[in-house]
């Protein structure tokens, strides 16, 4: 992912000034057609973000929709992922709503992709584009505190800050409702929408179906087929999740060519990892203690056997009329 990373904000110097250039180029990374593996960040913690940044995934799914992120914390998480991964891990933010402030906060901090949840209409998809792209492609407001002239406003040759940002930041529409499926072609076919995420949980809820990842209900399968088919038609990458432990589901998502695939997440890794460590530790302790009890029992049996042999020797002497030699005390 080095060719798509942001220019390192802490190691690229020009004279005495630190010159940061543009955010990671997620759009170019997706154009390679390679499967990009991601890790999910849901803990509202900069320390957790620092650790995730060291894990070597291609991108980080920062979920501001289902985690208690303030705008200030969100900006810190985005910049932390970029900084501590040496800009090799691409920060992608799912914003909590269609309200513009979280979108601008995320991209001003360096997010290379924005996922808009509950996208149901072409107008909502266009809203995402407007917030993420500078004119003439959109209506993004210029952030005066993000790029400081002569400090961090360098751009690739032949580009401006605006064109470089427009070329790099991906607009990802998340479709997760019956209405969204109905309007899917209007959304997916819109120029400026770079990828599609299918929210299978909310989609199933909206269809009055139970939450499960591998549903086979005809209406659900038809919805997936429609969305994935339109993504192929308009050459828009698919975004989703699948953990390796979900063997069949994982293989299914790879075969369906989900290009941005989140394969791990902080909450699940911590919870399952600690639970497994606790369970295996309890089993190991029980095994060791059982071995210790057996060893103690064997030692006791050996001790009893030795004492028994001594007792048997004395008894046989008595039976034969033999006696132990008498010890006579001699005075000095």
């Amino acid at each position: 992912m080095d060719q798509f990373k942001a220019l390192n904000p802490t190691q690229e110097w020009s004279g005495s000034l630190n010159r940061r250039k543009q955010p990671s180029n997620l759009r170019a990374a997706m154009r390679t057609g390679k499967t990009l593996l991601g890790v999910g960040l849901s803990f509202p913690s900069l320390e957790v973000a620092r650790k995730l940044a060291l894990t070597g995934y291609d991108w980080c799914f920062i979920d501001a929709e289902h985690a208690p992120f303030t705008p200030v914390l969100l900006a810190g998480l985005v910049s932390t992922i970029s900084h501590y991964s040496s800009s090799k891990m691409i920060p992608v933010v799912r914003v909590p709503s269609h309200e513009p402030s979280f979108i601008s906060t995320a991209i001003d901090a360096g997010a290379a992709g924005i996922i808009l949840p509950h996208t149901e209409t072409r107008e909502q998809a266009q809203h995402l584009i407007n917030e993420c792209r500078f004119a003439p492609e959109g209506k993004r407001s210029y952030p005066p505190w993000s790029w400081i002239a002569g400090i961090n406003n360098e751009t690739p040759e032949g580009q401006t800050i605006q064109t470089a940002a427009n070329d790099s930041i991906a607009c990802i529409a998340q479709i997760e409702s019956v209405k969204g499926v109905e309007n899917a072609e209007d959304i997916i076919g819109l120029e400026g929408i770079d990828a599609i995420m299918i929210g299978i949980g909310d989609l199933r809820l909206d269809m009055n179906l139970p939450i499960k990842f591998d549903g086979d209900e005809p209406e659900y399968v038809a919805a997936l087929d429609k969305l994935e088919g339109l993504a192929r038609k308009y050459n828009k990458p698919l975004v989703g999740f699948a953990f390796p432990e979900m063997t069949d589901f994982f293989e299914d998502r790879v075969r369906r060519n989900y290009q941005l695939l989140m394969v791990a997440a902080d909450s699940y890794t911590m919870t399952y990892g600690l639970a497994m460590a606790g369970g295996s530790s309890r089993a190991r302790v029980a095994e060791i203690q059982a071995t210790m009890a057996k060893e103690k029992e064997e030692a006791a049996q050996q001790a009893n056997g030795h004492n028994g042999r001594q007792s048997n020797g004395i008894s046989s002497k008595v039976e034969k009329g033999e006696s132990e030699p008498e010890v006579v005390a001699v005075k000095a």
Side-chain angles (χ1 to χ4, degrees):
M1 299 300 291
D2 283 1
Q3 66 268 42
F4 309 115
K5 71 178 184 178
L7 293 173
N8 196 311
T10 60
Q11 294 182 358
E12 293 212 353
W13 294 77
S14 177
S16 61
L17 297 179
N18 181 346
R19 295 179 181 268
R20 178 181 183 271
K21 296 190 181 179
Q22 295 297 317
S24 303
N25 196 329
L26 179 57
R27 299 181 79 191
M30 291 191 299
R31 285 195 294 269
T32 66
K34 295 180 179 179
T35 301
L36 308 176
L37 302 183
V39 60
L41 172 59
S42 65
F43 287 135
S45 166
L46 294 177
E47 183 61 29
V48 171
R50 281 193 284 269
K51 297 302 186 292
L52 290 187
L54 304 176
T55 57
Y57 290 90
D58 299 319
W59 62 288
C60 181
F61 176 72
I62 304 174
D63 191 6
E65 182 188 13
H66 294 296
F69 296 159
T70 65
V72 172
L73 177 58
L74 177 59
L77 295 172
V78 170
S79 59
T80 295
I81 290 295
S82 294
H83 175 81
Y84 282 89
S85 70
S86 297
S87 297
K88 295 179 181 180
M89 184 180 291
I90 300 175
V92 179
V93 175
R94 178 162 69 180
V95 293
S97 69
H98 294 208
E99 197 274 324
S101 64
F102 267 91
I103 297 176
S104 62
T105 294
I107 57 179
D108 289 353
I114 297 294
I115 299 173
L116 187 71
H118 307 287
T119 306
E120 296 184 326
T121 66
R122 184 184 183 90
E123 290 73 25
Q124 291 173 342
Q126 184 62 56
H127 165 72
L128 172 62
I129 297 168
N130 288 343
E131 295 300 322
C132 290
R133 304 266 162 77
F134 290 113
E137 298 177 31
K139 299 179 180 180
R140 179 183 174 187
S141 177
Y142 181 81
W145 318 124
S146 296
W147 289 292
I148 309 300
I151 302 294
N152 68 342
N153 67 330
E154 290 188 5
T155 58
E157 186 176 353
Q159 289 192 316
T160 66
I161 285 176
Q162 292 91 333
T163 61
N166 285 354
D167 287 348
S168 301
I169 298 170
C171 296
I172 303 170
Q174 182 170 4
I175 299 175
E176 47 191 336
S177 68
V178 172
K179 184 176 180 180
V181 174
E182 291 172 351
N183 295 323
E185 185 146 19
D186 287 342
I187 297 168
I188 299 173
L190 182 61
E191 184 177 357
I193 292 298
D194 300 296
I196 301 299
M197 183 172 184
I198 304 173
I200 59 177
D202 281 349
L203 177 58
R204 290 185 62 83
L205 287 176
D206 201 45
M207 299 175 103
N208 293 316
L209 299 173
I211 293 290
K212 57 188 301 189
F213 300 127
D214 55 351
D216 58 1
E217 300 86 353
E219 64 272 36
Y220 175 68
V221 173
L224 286 186
D225 288 345
K226 178 180 179 179
L227 295 174
E228 293 174 356
L230 287 169
R232 288 191 297 271
K233 176 181 177 180
Y234 291 100
N235 195 29
K236 303 294 176 72
L238 290 166
V239 182
F241 75 93
F243 304 136
E245 297 79 11
M246 306 159 68
T247 310
D248 293 339
F249 185 74
F250 187 88
E251 180 176 349
D252 178 74
R253 285 302 178 265
V254 174
R255 288 183 177 276
R256 289 174 181 264
N257 197 31
Y258 277 69
Q259 192 180 343
L260 266 69
L261 195 61
M262 184 183 72
V263 297
D266 53 1
S267 295
Y268 291 117
T269 300
M270 187 197 76
T271 304
Y272 287 130
L274 292 177
M276 290 174 62
S280 60
S281 296
R282 290 183 189 279
R284 183 65 179 136
V285 167
E287 180 184 345
I288 294 170
Q289 290 177 338
T291 300
M292 292 170 61
K294 184 177 180 180
E295 292 170 349
K296 183 177 181 180
E297 182 180 354
E298 291 174 350
Q301 290 175 351
Q302 290 177 356
N304 290 337
H306 179 70
N307 293 337
R309 285 192 297 274
Q310 287 185 332
S311 300
N312 289 339
I314 295 173
S315 299
S316 61
K317 289 180 179 181
V318 171
E319 290 174 357
K320 294 179 181 179
E322 299 176 1
S323 61
E324 291 294 317
E326 181 178 352
V327 179
V328 179
V330 180
K331 291 183 178 180

